[in-house]
Amino acid sequence: MASVLVVEDDPFVRSALIRQLTEASYTVRSVGTALEALREVAHFRFDVVVLDLGLPDLDGAEALKMLRGITDVPVIIATARDDEAEIVRLLHAGADDYLVKPFSVEHLTARMAAVLRRSRAGSGDPAPTAEIRVGGLVIDPLRRQAELDGTALDLTRREFDLLAFLAGRPGVVVPRKELLAEVWQQAYGDDQTIDVHLSWLRRKLGETAARPRYLHTLRGVGVKLEPPREPRP
């Protein structure tokens, strides 16, 4: 059962979407502001986000940019704006699809199903099947699971991809350009995207940039993952 975050400030539209998507067997959470949406995706794992552009605290386009800084969850834009140039800009900014209001729930669920198929197909890229062990880290690429010192890590899809990619090259400094190409499948991008994901990953590994254990950033060069030099006290 796919989980959906509906970001919509109109209470009537929001209530209708919650009811109809629930009836269509989706698990639904909803918020009315961009900041609430950012908090939701930081604490819960969703399969897709339906994002309205006309939010009261932040324009949806800016909210999309901020979402893309912390998660790669598929985002469908729901908007009353039908300007082609803006729609193209949003797609380039990281939206996976868009719908112009008003739309039927059947249309929305069809678009969601298509986005989810693409997302799941993308996560099936070839990957090593053997477990990767670096210090107390154990990464299972086949099951997409990771443990640190015997405790399971709750990682987003992109966090797992980043960790697995670096762990597969222990001690090797990986340039940011290579990370963007291999993990994000982008020829170019904002370094802040990498920094945000590294920050979230460090937090889950129990370390900081100032006191790294596994993840080490070499300014102007790249990032490497290696086992801690000293055991955890």
Side-chain angles (χ1 to χ4, degrees):
M1 182 182 297
S3 60
V4 185
L5 175 64
V6 173
V7 188
E8 169 63 64
D9 68 318
D10 186 316
F12 298 103
V13 174
R14 198 160 91 201
S15 295
L17 286 175
I18 293 171
R19 183 182 68 256
Q20 293 168 334
L21 289 173
T22 301
E23 290 174 353
S25 298
Y26 287 93
T27 300
V28 186
R29 291 180 67 92
S30 68
V31 294
T33 68
L35 293 180
E36 288 175 316
L38 291 169
R39 282 195 293 267
E40 286 287 305
V41 299
H43 292 94
F44 300 97
R45 186 173 298 183
F46 296 97
D47 294 300
V48 64
V49 173
V50 179
L51 176 66
D52 178 38
L53 290 186
L55 299 174
D57 60 335
L58 197 65
D59 183 76
E62 187 64 25
L64 173 65
K65 181 179 178 181
M66 295 176 72
L67 282 170
R68 277 293 165 257
I70 62 173
T71 180
D72 62 340
V73 62
V75 176
I76 298 177
I77 299 293
T79 176
R81 311 171 195 175
D82 59 358
D83 180 71
E84 183 177 355
E86 182 173 16
I87 290 170
V88 170
R89 180 172 62 85
L90 289 167
L91 292 171
H92 282 302
D96 294 86
D97 206 343
Y98 72 93
L99 282 171
V100 177
K101 297 179 179 178
F103 51 80
S104 68
V105 71
E106 290 80 13
H107 193 175
L108 173 59
T109 55
R111 293 292 186 96
M112 287 169 56
V115 165
L116 288 169
R117 281 196 302 272
R118 292 198 299 269
S119 175
R120 287 161 181 165
S123 67
D125 291 338
T129 57
E131 283 188 347
I132 303 170
R133 294 178 179 266
V134 181
L137 273 172
V138 180
I139 301 166
D140 187 336
L142 189 60
R143 294 183 175 85
R144 297 186 63 81
Q145 295 174 349
E147 293 182 354
L148 175 61
D149 299 328
T151 300
L153 296 172
D154 183 17
L155 304 177
T156 66
R157 181 161 62 92
R158 191 72 81 194
E159 287 168 351
F160 180 88
D161 290 343
L162 177 59
L163 180 64
F165 186 80
L166 290 170
R169 298 153 182 77
V172 176
V173 179
V174 181
R176 289 171 174 266
K177 185 176 181 180
E178 184 177 349
L179 288 176
L180 284 170
E182 297 296 333
V183 179
W184 276 267
Q185 286 83 51
Q186 296 178 10
Y188 59 91
D190 188 350
D191 277 2
Q192 187 177 5
T193 298
I194 297 175
D195 291 336
V196 169
H197 281 81
L198 284 172
S199 176
W200 282 91
L201 198 50
R202 281 192 175 103
R203 183 179 303 178
K204 294 179 180 181
L205 293 176
E207 62 182 66
T208 65
R211 300 188 65 181
R213 296 186 69 242
Y214 285 92
L215 293 170
H216 301 265
T217 300
L218 282 74
R219 188 180 299 276
V221 182
V223 183
K224 69 175 177 178
L225 184 148
E226 61 184 10
R229 296 176 183 176
E230 297 179 359
R232 188 188 295 271

